[in-house]
Amino acid sequence: MRHYYPSYFKKFKCIAARCPDSCCKDWDVVVDSETEAFYNTVQSPLGDKLRALTVTDGDGDRVFVSQNGRCPFWNADMLCDIYIELGEDRLCRTCAEFPRITQEYDGFCEHTLSFACPEAARLILAEDNAYSDLLEARYHGDDELLSSLLRARKQTALLLCGSGKPLGLRLGDCLEYNAQIQAVLNGGEPAALDIPEDGDLSAVFELHKRLDYMSADFARLVAEAGDSGLTPLFEGETAKALERLFLYMLFRYYLNAVDSYDVLSTVKRAVCACLVLGVMARNTSDLTALFQRYSKEVEHSYENSEELTFAFAADEAFSSERLITLLDAQARKIV
Ligand code: SF4
């Protein structure tokens, strides 16, 4: 099995108590059965607490009971009691692996980090040419769909990074190319897109305002950005950071089409993330924290992801044509 990594992957080290938005906050920790079996043998007050605070959630998973939005084993020093008393090797799989993500395909395996971790987000945004290893991913099997998705993913990355056009136009090129790819995946022929006169940025924000956020503060920031009437900041350091966010989402999700036959919703999600965060970026100097919070609130929420995917497929406001018009308009404003 060949393994591929973005260049930032092996630089990651958890910053624990120095973490500004720990994974021990806001999320339920799913405990795998092997680890729970070990926890059931621990004879100490911590063992009693582990047994008392592990319950079955609505999805049938065994989870630690969250207390005021915090993992119950995350102590007042912002360190993990399980790690301290039992050692790193005794963390459950969820905690041991996060933010490392492994995606296995026929004959090869891709690894990445999750943007929802602040330290991973810092590394992802700091790195030039982070995906050169993944871009060269070779597939020697006989799955034609996987072969063609790898070629299309590479071409999408080249469209994003291979020209000196403004970011809005490059995102539009990625979208147009993938609308053609999607037409073929749907069994049709690639056809020229009929680009309308107007696109609607407010529709992108209305959709984002409807999402379910864990943090009322983040929901307020999204709403304020949507109501501000500002346009996305597709220039300078923000454009560079958005480009890296787009590439992260491309390499994280594009090959899911092996099962879903859907490349377009991945590209639309990345484009809409760039539009929303491009506006929100006007109100902050900390892009890393902004993008990381978006990842935790939107990318990593199953419900929010479903809502976006449904809207992209069903609502004409998010057709490729309308989004391209919107991106063109943003690009024209800075040419
Ligand atoms: S979010 Fe990342 S850096 Fe923060 S505690 Fe979790 S793994 Fe460590």
Side-chain angles (χ1 to χ4, degrees):
M1 174 85 72
R2 176 83 201 262
H3 292 261
Y4 295 97
Y5 301 86
S7 59
Y8 48 74
F9 185 88
K10 290 178 182 169
K11 297 178 183 172
F12 175 77
K13 193 163 176 8
C14 174
I15 54 174
R18 289 184 290 116
C19 182
D21 189 13
S22 172
C23 48
C24 309
K25 185 159 80 68
D26 296 328
W27 281 341
D28 287 334
V29 175
V30 176
V31 185
D32 57 283
S33 53
E34 201 180 312
T35 305
E36 187 178 8
F38 171 74
Y39 289 164
N40 285 335
T41 69
V42 176
Q43 298 304 317
S44 70
L46 177 68
D48 295 339
K49 187 173 170 184
L50 281 163
R51 286 181 284 282
L53 295 180
T54 306
V55 297
T56 304
D57 72 4
D59 298 326
D61 290 321
R62 298 288 286 164
V63 298
F64 293 145
V65 180
S66 159
Q67 292 180 335
N68 299 321
R70 295 168 59 100
C71 172
F73 301 100
W74 194 37
N75 67 28
D77 297 325
M78 298 206 290
L79 295 170
C80 172
D81 284 335
I82 302 172
Y83 186 107
I84 293 167
E85 186 170 323
L86 303 177
E88 186 175 3
D89 293 350
R90 295 304 188 180
L91 294 177
C92 65
R93 218 172 289 146
T94 306
C95 296
E97 288 178 1
F98 186 81
R100 299 168 194 84
I101 294 165
T102 304
Q103 290 163 295
E104 226 175 273
Y105 303 100
D106 176 17
F108 68 100
C109 192
E110 294 191 341
H111 302 264
T112 191
L113 298 176
S114 164
F115 226 116
C117 161
E119 178 60 5
R122 187 187 70 75
L123 292 169
I124 294 168
L125 289 181
E127 206 86 357
D128 272 328
N129 304 319
Y131 302 94
S132 36
D133 187 35
L134 284 100
L135 272 174
E136 297 314 319
R138 296 266 180 274
Y139 173 61
H140 300 292
D142 55 8
D143 184 337
E144 283 181 24
L145 175 60
L146 186 51
S147 290
S148 56
L149 288 172
L150 281 166
R151 282 195 301 274
R153 185 176 72 172
K154 183 172 184 173
Q155 180 59 22
T156 305
L158 291 174
L159 285 169
L160 185 75
C161 304
S163 81
K165 292 180 186 176
L167 178 63
L169 293 184
R170 286 183 280 135
L171 291 172
D173 289 346
C174 293
L175 202 43
E176 186 167 10
Y177 171 70
N178 278 282
Q180 313 279 0
I181 296 289
Q182 191 61 55
V184 174
L185 285 174
N186 293 345
E189 293 288 327
L193 299 185
D194 186 11
I195 307 296
E197 288 294 310
D198 58 325
D200 188 3
L201 184 58
S202 66
V204 178
F205 270 101
E206 287 310 314
L207 173 60
H208 275 74
K209 284 188 206 172
R210 288 205 303 273
L211 300 181
D212 187 15
Y213 297 105
M214 295 176 290
S215 151
D217 178 53
F218 193 76
R220 178 183 58 77
L221 292 175
V222 171
E224 282 177 5
D227 296 341
S228 68
L230 295 170
T231 54
L233 184 58
F234 279 175
E235 295 172 78
E237 286 304 306
T238 305
K240 200 160 140 188
L242 290 169
E243 185 181 311
R244 287 173 185 179
L245 174 77
F246 184 98
L247 287 172
Y248 157 80
M249 294 180 82
L250 183 72
F251 283 99
R252 169 86 178 80
Y253 294 108
Y254 198 85
L255 296 189
N256 286 357
V258 172
D259 297 315
S260 67
Y261 285 75
D262 179 5
V263 292
L264 202 50
S265 71
T266 294
V267 177
K268 286 182 179 179
R269 280 192 70 172
V271 163
C272 287
C274 289
L275 287 165
V276 168
L277 292 170
V279 176
M280 294 178 80
R282 291 189 180 275
N283 296 325
T284 180
S285 56
D286 190 346
L287 295 179
T288 308
L290 174 65
F291 290 16
Q292 177 267 329
R293 288 183 78 188
Y294 181 89
S295 171
K296 194 165 178 174
E297 291 278 6
V298 180
E299 182 200 345
H300 280 265
S301 158
Y302 176 77
E303 289 76 17
N304 287 344
S305 298
E306 287 288 289
E307 175 116 19
L308 291 178
T309 303
F310 178 76
F312 293 153
D315 189 335
E316 181 57 22
F318 306 108
S319 68
S320 303
E321 292 86 341
R322 283 203 181 278
L323 289 173
I324 290 169
T325 304
L326 186 52
L327 291 163
D328 280 356
Q330 303 312 317
R332 274 199 300 276
K333 288 189 177 109
I334 61 168
V335 172

